[in-house]
């Protein structure tokens, strides 16, 4: 089983709709979860982080975490064409020795149709 | 407050040459991470360094690749005797000592081996 799995897409949604992006992870010790957005030819940009079960909202973005199911999702409300990008899910594990590197999924390509 | 600086942005090397990629972390950040992204692939962790120390190099190929983060100056990722399969985008990220908010990535170096 891959450490972080995402549906590669493309996921197409009409402008104004809700886009739902999903991610599952294999390590039950994972403690921190991040969503990055990456436009074609650009570097990844951090858009959301979540550490506790439940929902976390930031503007049009909502991250949802369910540690029991090892599942994290990202909802984008009122999707805009400018949201068209690849969305990368990443997890990290904290140990006594310090940080562990982020492990990324392959990303889901989102296309918002005007 | 400058972000993570990577140079060069684009690098072309002939097979068998050496490639040197540089990364200067954000001010106040002492942890540096290198990732590689092949076309249409996710980000793959390569190496994690602190000043003068390699903390985790579990993602580095066993041969031809090396990394350093000296006391003074940028972190360097060196690829000796490059081959066409090394063509990729190489991203550097940095974080403060106790990361809790995710990484900040640089703009990346696009390496093309001809």
């Amino acid at each position: 089983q891959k450490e972080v799995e995402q549906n590669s897409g493309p996921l197409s949604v009409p402008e104004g709709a809700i886009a739902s992006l999903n991610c599952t992870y294999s390590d039950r010790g994972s403690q921190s979860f991040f969503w990055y957005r990456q436009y074609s030819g650009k570097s990844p940009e951090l858009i959301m982080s979540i550490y506790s079960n439940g929902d976390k909202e930031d503007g049009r973005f909502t991250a949802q975490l369910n540690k029991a199911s090892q599942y994290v999702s990202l909802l984008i409300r009122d999707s805009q064409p400018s949201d068209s990008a690849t969305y990368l899910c990443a997890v990290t594990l904290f140990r006594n020795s310090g940080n562990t590197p982020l492990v990324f999924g392959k990303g889901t390509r989102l296309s918002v149709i005007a | 407050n400058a972000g993570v600086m990577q140079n060069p942005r684009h690098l072309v090397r002939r097979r068998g040459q050496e490639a040197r990629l540089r990364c200067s972390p954000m001010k106040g950040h002492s942890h540096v991470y290198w990732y590689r992204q092949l076309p249409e692939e996710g980000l793959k962790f390569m190496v994690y360094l602190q000043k003068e120390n390699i903390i985790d190099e579990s993602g580095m190929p066993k041969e031809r690749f090396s990394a350093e983060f000296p006391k003074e100056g940028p972190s360097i990722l060196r690829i000796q005797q490059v081959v066409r399969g090394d063509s990729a985008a190489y991203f550097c990220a940095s974080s403060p000592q106790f990361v809790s908010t995710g990484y900040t990535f640089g703009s990346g170096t696009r390496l093309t081996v001809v």
Side-chain angles (χ1 to χ4, degrees):
Chain A
Q1 182 185 3
K2 293 181 181 177
E3 292 175 304
V4 181
E5 290 204 66
Q6 296 181 254
N7 188 323
S8 61
L11 172 66
S12 294
V13 300
E15 183 176 358
I18 295 175
S20 178
L21 304 157
N22 304 316
C23 173
T24 58
Y25 57 96
S26 61
D27 190 343
R28 286 195 169 272
S30 295
Q31 297 188 11
S32 302
F33 307 86
F34 305 91
W35 283 99
Y36 282 80
R37 177 177 62 198
Q38 186 176 28
Y39 292 111
S40 181
K42 302 295 185 182
S43 61
E45 172 193 10
L46 179 65
I47 54 173
M48 288 288 288
S49 59
I50 187 166
Y51 309 99
S52 307
N53 281 328
D55 295 1
K56 179 181 178 183
E57 186 174 318
D58 184 0
R60 294 187 297 113
F61 299 100
T62 298
Q64 299 174 318
L65 175 62
N66 183 326
K67 290 187 178 181
S69 301
Q70 296 175 238
Y71 176 91
V72 59
S73 64
L74 180 70
L75 301 177
I76 306 175
R77 289 182 299 281
D78 188 23
S79 296
Q80 301 297 309
S82 59
D83 295 326
S84 298
T86 296
Y87 289 81
L88 303 169
C89 172
V91 306
T92 191
L93 182 62
F94 289 88
R95 303 191 190 279
N96 292 334
S97 57
N99 310 331
T100 65
L102 285 179
V103 178
F104 284 83
K106 287 192 173 184
T108 298
R109 194 150 46 96
L110 173 67
S111 178
V112 180
I113 310 299
Chain B
N1 185 15
V4 179
M5 304 299 291
Q6 288 189 251
N7 66 80
R9 291 291 300 274
H10 300 276
L11 183 61
V12 179
R13 284 288 178 265
R14 296 187 183 278
R15 281 178 294 170
Q17 291 185 319
E18 178 179 286
R20 282 195 178 215
L21 288 62
R22 296 175 189 79
C23 170
S24 296
M26 285 183 70
K27 187 175 181 181
H29 287 193
S30 58
H31 295 209
V32 166
Y33 313 82
W34 285 93
Y35 285 78
R36 177 166 64 176
Q37 188 172 39
L38 294 167
E40 305 302 322
E41 292 287 327
L43 288 160
K44 296 294 186 186
F45 167 74
M46 299 183 75
V47 61
Y48 161 36
L49 310 102
Q50 295 180 23
K51 287 281 187 182
E52 301 183 278
N53 282 305
I54 296 175
I55 306 302
D56 182 347
E57 56 181 346
S58 58
M60 287 279 270
K62 294 288 186 281
E63 298 177 348
R64 303 188 297 109
F65 285 72
S66 62
E68 62 177 5
F69 189 12
K71 188 176 180 181
E72 302 291 337
S75 175
I76 305 287
L77 178 68
R78 183 164 66 157
I79 312 171
Q80 296 177 299
Q81 299 175 324
V82 296
V83 301
R84 287 220 170 107
D86 297 332
S87 296
Y90 292 82
F91 291 101
C92 166
S94 71
S95 70
Q97 184 164 4
F98 295 105
V99 67
S100 61
T101 55
Y103 302 162
T104 300
F105 280 92
S107 298
T109 294
R110 272 76 179 170
L111 172 65
T112 301
V113 179
V114 297

